[in-house]
Amino acid sequence: MTPTRWRIALALASTAGAALAWRRWARAERPRAAFAELQRLETEHVFRASFLAELDAAIVAREQGRTSELEAVDAAAGQLLDAFRPDDSERAR
């Protein structure tokens, strides 16, 4: 293959690859529903207030769940330490 033909083949291959990549990108579905909800949050004040109230409630619920899990882990750690801690009668010996 001559150098000129080699350059032409490389140019065609790179052009074909770029065209395929563009076609894949053009066919990809875009999440339009998410953008519509964002636009609705920006324009409708009642919807925004409702959304923020639900968000606040979800944050509070998550924090309560984390707190209860932390208390459960703390209680389990205390029980584990009590299981390995010697009793008063064993300390006297």
Side-chain angles (χ1 to χ4, degrees), residues 3-44:
T4 304
R5 285 185 179 222
W6 182 250
R7 287 184 190 129
I8 291 171
L10 284 176
L12 287 174
S14 65
T15 303
L20 287 174
W22 183 83
R23 286 183 69 198
R24 277 192 220 116
W25 178 82
R27 281 191 220 154
E29 290 185 25
R30 309 262 186 318
R32 297 187 191 280
F35 293 123
E37 187 173 9
L38 285 175
Q39 288 175 342
R40 188 173 174 199
L41 280 170
E42 291 174 353
T43 58
E44 296 181 24

Side-chain angles (χ1 to χ4, degrees), residues 26 51 69:
F51 176 81
E69 288 177 7

Side-chain angles (χ1 to χ4, degrees), residues 4 15 17 24 29 34 46 57 62-63 66-67 71 77 86 89-90:
T4 304
T15 303
R24 277 192 220 116
E29 290 185 25
V46 174
R62 183 181 66 184
E63 190 62 31
R66 286 182 178 177
T67 302
E71 289 171 353
S89 61
E90 291 179 7

